[in-house]
Amino acid sequence: MRRSKMSLAAAVGLFVLWVLFSGKLDAFHLGIGALSVAFLYWQESRLPAIRGEGERRLRIVTTVVYVFWLLWQMLLAAWYVAKKILGPKEGLQPRMFRFRCEMPSQVNSVLFANSITLTPGTLTVDVEGDEMVVHALTADTEKDVFEGDMAQRVARLSEASASVSVEKLPLETKKEGRV
């Protein structure tokens, strides 16, 4: 049987976060927290490793700064989308597009795809290797994926000197008939 990669310190840290966020110290809430952490510990032990041999870990300070930057971007995007939805309907121009962005690792690619989805007005529909298909609510939200600095920030989460570019691809069917 394979041992979990999650350390005991990480499990204790998750439990402490549970206690802090719940604000409850009764047996029921502590029990639910312990069960949740135990379930995560078990699930994590069953997942295949996504980090390649010799691959760098995410840099802690840079990642924390990125989370706050992403939250700010989410607020700005939510305000923009609200204005577009509540304003004249001709401002909405939904579209799908495909692009390639070679990230330093698979972890960075997943974080980039999730960051796009978390930002109102965009939704990552498919990820295959270094290619992604995204739905955008307007031309501006599509442009933000290409011209914004989200890709650079995500790439630098694991490597300080990482540099990436976002290359637009045609949105036509691929080898398996997928869009």
Side-chain angles (χ1 to χ4, degrees), residues 21-39:
F21 289 144
S22 73
K24 309 276 184 173
L25 296 175
D26 59 273
F28 175 76
H29 287 91
L30 292 175
I32 293 294
L35 285 173
S36 298
V37 170
F39 179 73

Side-chain angles (χ1 to χ4, degrees), residues 7-58:
S7 69
L8 184 59
V12 169
L14 285 173
F15 184 71
V16 168
L17 280 175
W18 174 276
V19 171
L20 289 174
F21 289 144
S22 73
K24 309 276 184 173
L25 296 175
D26 59 273
F28 175 76
H29 287 91
L30 292 175
I32 293 294
L35 285 173
S36 298
V37 170
F39 179 73
L40 288 173
Y41 192 83
W42 174 71
Q43 283 291 316
E44 195 272 341
S45 71
R46 299 184 55 159
L47 290 173
I50 61 171
R51 186 171 285 117
E53 193 67 35
E55 193 171 303
R56 293 182 179 194
R57 293 185 169 275
L58 296 180

Side-chain angles (χ1 to χ4, degrees), residues 23-175:
K24 309 276 184 173
L25 296 175
D26 59 273
F28 175 76
H29 287 91
L30 292 175
I32 293 294
L35 285 173
S36 298
V37 170
F39 179 73
L40 288 173
Y41 192 83
W42 174 71
Q43 283 291 316
E44 195 272 341
S45 71
R46 299 184 55 159
L47 290 173
I50 61 171
R51 186 171 285 117
E53 193 67 35
E55 193 171 303
R56 293 182 179 194
R57 293 185 169 275
L58 296 180
R59 299 176 322 147
I60 300 291
V61 173
T62 308
T63 302
V64 170
V65 169
Y66 177 74
V67 167
F68 285 107
W69 177 84
L70 180 61
L71 288 170
W72 177 246
Q73 295 306 306
M74 290 166 59
L75 280 170
L76 293 176
W79 178 255
Y80 172 80
V81 169
K83 285 191 323 187
K84 286 294 183 182
I85 289 174
L86 297 173
K89 296 301 180 207
E90 59 269 2
L92 299 177
Q93 308 144 349
R95 62 200 55 228
M96 299 278 284
F97 60 95
R98 176 184 302 279
F99 66 90
R100 175 180 297 122
C101 183
E102 293 183 31
M103 286 286 171
S105 74
Q106 185 179 11
V107 172
N108 293 81
S109 292
V110 170
L111 286 172
F112 185 43
N114 286 333
S115 295
I116 289 171
T117 297
L118 285 170
T119 308
T122 53
L123 174 70
T124 305
V125 177
D126 186 30
V127 177
E128 190 174 320
D130 60 354
E131 293 183 14
M132 297 182 195
V133 176
V134 173
H135 176 273
L137 195 58
T138 67
D140 289 337
T141 54
E142 176 185 6
K143 188 173 87 172
D144 285 346
V145 172
F146 293 110
E147 295 178 1
D149 61 344
M150 184 182 288
Q152 291 295 330
R153 288 176 182 265
V154 171
R156 291 186 180 132
L157 291 178
S158 59
E159 295 181 19
S161 61
S163 180
V164 296
S165 63
V166 179
E167 170 193 354
K168 190 167 184 172
L169 301 171
L171 182 66
E172 46 208 36
T173 57
K174 291 181 59 168
K175 55 188 171 219

